[in-house]
Amino acid sequence: MPKFSVVIPVFNKVSTLSAALACLYHQTHRDFEIIAVDDGSTDGSLQLLLREEGAGRLRLFQRGTPGPGGYAARNHGAGQARAEWLVFFDADDLLLFDHLSRFSAAITQHADVELFVNAYQKLERGRRLPRLDDLPVGVLTRQQALAAFARCDFIHMNGACLHRERFRMLGGFPAGQYRRGGDVHFWLRTLCALERIHYDDTVTSLWQLEHSGVTRDTANLIGIHPCQGLLGEIPHLSRQERRQLATAVNRKVLSWAVEKRRLGLSVDADLKALTLTAMRPRLWYHVLSLWAPRALFEQMHSQSA
């Protein structure tokens, strides 16, 4: 039985799929299986995956109908996993050679932890963008993890390793509910369910922004950010934990609202969804920008970019 099952959802990624698979083939840690789930590709991705399956490099499963955000495909792949640990990887991004080896080392040291997170970095036209590097590292309590997410998205789909049984208990990703933002909903819900996690600030994955079709598709920017509903779903948090969760939710709601304002969409519902007792100065800055005339709004966000 392998130690890791790496689940890759694939929908029309033939231009990047070979490079993504090569990242896995060159991992220094070798005890893993690759589970590819084709979501009805029509661009040659399926044929490429069939060749790799024939060569014994991966296990391939097929779904006939694409699922928004790839959530259903990830859930399907996780259901086929043979390993104790699940790692998710998008077919248009990149992993560094030590991605799995760092997870393996951390798991050996912290046998009671169920979620391990490696740092990631955004890549735009081949250039790595600046990132926050002063987050706490090592084993974090629930409150520390929520406080970290209140500051930034320190968990990315490519950078997480979750125990398979915990994934099953959480019910997997919210397939069929959201076109975008369901991953943030899932990771925040996971943080709330666990007493501790492990964070390694070594960058082991690269998110290639120019390939992020789900994020760029404005049709996915519907309603309020999905994580807003979490505040009513999780009753067991302490007062401080709930405050950190509310701040994280506020941050995501406002981030989505800024995108909507750029498109000329109404943000009234987004502003009404904020928890005012969990606001921070930077978040108020975004609120003020959303109330500002269009020219001033653009100026404020040009300066903060």
Side-chain angles (χ1 to χ4, degrees), residues 32-50:
F32 66 95
E33 65 173 355
I34 301 173
I35 298 176
V37 182
D38 184 81
D39 233 8
S41 295
T42 57
D43 68 340
S45 295
L46 176 58
Q47 288 68 31
L48 192 159
L49 291 171
L50 286 168

Side-chain angles (χ1 to χ4, degrees), residues 77-292:
Q80 305 297 326
R82 296 183 295 210
E84 185 178 3
W85 295 95
L86 297 173
V87 175
F88 298 97
F89 179 38
D90 291 338
D92 48 14
D93 292 324
L94 300 171
L95 297 179
L96 304 186
F97 67 93
D98 58 348
H99 186 64
L100 296 179
S101 64
R102 297 197 73 88
F103 280 143
S104 181
I107 289 169
T108 299
Q109 294 175 13
H110 306 285
D112 61 336
V113 173
E114 295 179 281
L115 173 63
F116 294 84
V117 179
N118 288 346
Y120 71 96
Q121 198 159 11
K122 295 177 181 178
L123 195 67
E124 189 169 42
R125 292 184 291 274
R127 181 175 66 90
R128 293 196 189 193
L129 302 184
R131 54 179 288 271
L132 287 175
D133 57 2
D134 58 348
L135 297 176
V137 299
V139 176
L140 310 184
T141 65
R142 180 189 293 130
Q143 183 174 324
Q144 288 175 315
L146 289 171
F149 211 101
R151 292 188 57 204
C152 65
D153 295 346
F154 77 98
I155 306 178
H156 185 265
M157 184 68 74
N158 297 330
C161 173
L162 181 62
H163 196 276
R164 183 182 61 184
E165 181 61 19
R166 175 59 65 175
F167 182 84
R168 187 194 66 77
M169 292 171 61
L170 288 165
F173 294 103
Q177 299 180 47
Y178 312 112
R179 297 184 61 85
R180 176 184 167 189
D183 52 339
V184 174
H185 182 281
F186 176 79
W187 296 124
L188 272 174
R189 188 159 56 90
T190 302
L191 294 183
C192 292
L194 301 176
E195 293 185 7
R196 61 185 64 82
I197 71 164
H198 183 273
Y199 178 62
D200 183 344
D201 64 354
T202 303
V203 172
T204 65
S205 64
L206 301 174
W207 177 15
Q208 301 196 96
L209 296 180
E210 59 265 37
H211 298 151
S212 186
V214 172
T215 302
R216 294 198 315 270
D217 188 348
T218 57
N220 294 335
L221 203 64
I222 300 172
I224 304 170
H225 195 285
C227 70
Q228 192 272 336
L230 283 171
L231 294 171
E233 295 176 16
I234 303 171
H236 66 271
L237 301 179
S238 70
R239 182 177 179 180
Q240 285 301 316
E241 291 166 349
R242 182 164 293 278
R243 181 179 178 83
Q244 296 295 352
L245 173 61
T247 302
V249 170
N250 282 347
R251 183 177 66 80
K252 297 306 298 183
V253 168
L254 283 170
S255 175
W256 205 319
V258 168
E259 289 190 60
K260 291 166 71 174
R261 176 71 195 277
R262 286 196 173 111
L263 296 170
L265 303 175
S266 172
V267 297
D268 291 346
D270 307 78
L271 292 173
K272 290 178 182 177
L274 297 173
T275 303
L276 299 183
T277 56
M279 293 291 287
R280 290 180 177 174
R282 184 64 180 172
L283 300 181
W284 281 117
Y285 178 89
H286 288 305
V287 170
L288 291 174
S289 79
L290 293 169
W291 283 333

